[in-house]
Amino acid sequence: MSGSTGGMEWGTIGGQTPERAHPSESLTSPDSGGPERAAEAALRPRRLGEFIGQKVVREQLSLVLEAATARGRVPEHMLMSGPPGLGKTTLAMIIASELSAPLRITSGPAIQHAGDLAAILSSLEEGEVLFIDEVHRVARPAEEMLYIAMEDFRVDVIVGKGVGATSIPLELPPFTVVGATTRAGLLPAPLRDRFGFIGHLDFYSPEELREVVDRSAAQLELELTDDSAAEIACRSRGTPRIANRLLRRVRDWAQVRGSGRLDLGAAREALRVYEVDDRGLDRLDRAVLSALCGRFSGGPVGLSTLAVAVGEETETVETMVEPYLVREGFLLRTPRGRAAAPAAWTHLGLTPPEDQEGTAPMLGRF
């Protein structure tokens, strides 16, 4: 992640933002690692008018920013929530760009102590935008300091220890916090209430993703046909980050094994090589469904048992696989465990057991 609007990254060691831990690498994972972030940065829009999708959030943000600019004051603190890969970091960068303000980037996991946060806050300039990714993971000791800083633009620095300790208030210049979270429900209510604007980002439609793919192809100077763009878009799981990732893999295939032209044949063949099927399911997705239908007769089965069956960590299955399978109607989460929906059997070309045909749709009611 890089701040292209004149800002810098901030972490706990050497000014570097620590990498997020990824339990499993996947072409269709909405998360991104270090090299992936560098590739994404080149494709990010710089202004709000260039941002594709999220029409409601864009309009709301435009009003907030224009009103603050007209009043000559910094905007209220803003919170962006939604699944990974939908543009929360990009919007934070756009906010700083629209305000012509410097951008400071950090993350919740990097703020483990009040001192970490105090060091960041005390160095902010007036009007600066502080972006906190995964804000729900800010450590508890730093949360109370963040509350005061956001509301009163002040931090209390503790000098000394024990009975001789004294609190010295340090005034801060006005600034704007932009928080991003994939799990808004984990945000403490006092922190959530200090955000004056909360925008929720939804998954993209295939038409919007096609616009994203076309725009990225133009920036990468790729010859992309309309049917190829549509094919990539429909396999991108409603997520621009995945769409851009698949586009780069199709480009690789076309340059190495094809004619260099990204047509429908190149797109389909490249995605076959990378094991992304026509519904956007990858190898791990199909492994989970195959284990559920083949080994456990459609379930229900416990999450840990299912994870062992596919040789993955429980967290990987729960956070990287389940959300999409549930959203697409392949998987049912029930109090008794995970169960295959009728669409899972159909997608795998399998016939459900006779007792499963009638009961699978009802498992979600327990």
Side-chain angles (χ1 to χ4, degrees), residues 169-331:
L170 177 63
E171 298 297 324
L172 303 174
F175 63 94
T176 299
V177 172
V178 178
T181 178
T182 56
R183 307 183 71 178
L186 296 183
L187 273 178
L191 179 57
R192 185 170 56 248
D193 292 344
R194 281 165 172 77
F195 288 101
F197 170 77
I198 299 178
H200 180 77
L201 278 62
D202 295 315
F203 287 103
Y204 282 57
S205 68
E207 293 75 21
E208 291 171 331
L209 285 175
R210 182 170 172 175
E211 288 186 56
V212 171
V213 172
D214 283 336
R215 179 184 180 277
S216 298
Q219 287 188 289
L220 294 172
E221 300 181 349
L222 301 177
E223 185 182 354
L224 181 70
T225 62
D226 291 341
D227 50 5
S228 177
E231 188 74 14
I232 294 171
C234 74
R235 301 194 191 198
S236 299
R237 303 164 80 114
T239 307
R241 178 178 292 159
I242 296 175
N244 286 329
R245 188 180 300 156
L246 295 183
L247 173 64
R248 296 196 298 273
R249 300 294 76 78
V250 173
R251 173 198 60 185
D252 294 345
W253 189 94
Q255 290 178 346
V256 174
R257 298 185 181 178
S259 63
R261 187 168 183 263
L262 278 65
D263 55 18
L264 181 60
R268 287 179 173 172
E269 186 60 24
L271 297 177
R272 182 195 65 79
V273 170
Y274 288 105
E275 301 182 287
V276 180
D277 67 22
D278 57 357
R279 292 292 299 274
L281 273 63
D282 63 10
R283 178 201 61 79
L284 183 54
D285 297 322
R286 291 190 298 274
V288 168
L289 294 182
S290 296
L292 192 55
C293 295
R295 299 188 189 184
F296 304 109
S297 302
V301 62
L303 175 62
S304 58
T305 302
L306 184 59
V308 170
V310 297
E312 286 287 352
E313 297 291 333
T314 301
E315 181 185 358
T316 301
V317 175
E318 186 174 24
T319 61
M320 294 179 59
V321 178
E322 278 193 353
Y324 184 69
L325 295 182
V326 171
R327 181 163 64 91
E328 293 298 300
F330 291 114
L331 186 71

Side-chain angles (χ1 to χ4, degrees), residues 1 14 27 31 36 52 54 57 69 84 96 99 104 121 126 143 158 172 178 198 211 220 257 301 321 325 330 362 365:
M1 199 175 348
L27 192 63
D31 291 318
E36 188 70 25
I52 297 171
Q54 311 298 340
V57 173
T69 301
L99 295 172
R104 188 78 57 92
L121 295 174
E126 183 172 354
E143 276 182 8
I158 307 299
L172 303 174
V178 178
I198 299 178
E211 288 186 56
L220 294 172
R257 298 185 181 178
V301 62
V321 178
L325 295 182
F330 291 114
M362 299 181 63
R365 300 180 185 175

Side-chain angles (χ1 to χ4, degrees), residues 333-355:
R333 297 179 63 171
T334 79
R336 294 189 295 163
R338 275 57 176 175
W345 297 90
T346 302
H347 187 73
L348 295 175
L350 302 175
T351 302
E354 293 183 4
D355 59 340

Side-chain angles (χ1 to χ4, degrees), residues 5 45-48 51 57-58 60-62 64-65 68-69 74-80 87-103 127-131 176-179 197:
T5 53
R46 307 300 181 188
R47 311 295 295 190
L48 202 55
F51 192 89
V57 173
R58 278 192 292 119
Q60 294 170 342
L61 263 180
S62 177
V64 171
L65 296 177
T69 301
V74 298
E76 294 184 75
H77 306 299
M78 308 177 208
L79 177 66
M80 304 296 166
K88 296 184 293 296
T89 300
T90 299
L91 283 175
M93 294 181 174
I94 287 175
I95 289 169
S97 180
E98 294 284 352
L99 295 172
S100 299
L103 175 68
E128 192 163 356
V129 175
L130 172 62
F131 175 56
T176 299
V177 172
V178 178
F197 170 77

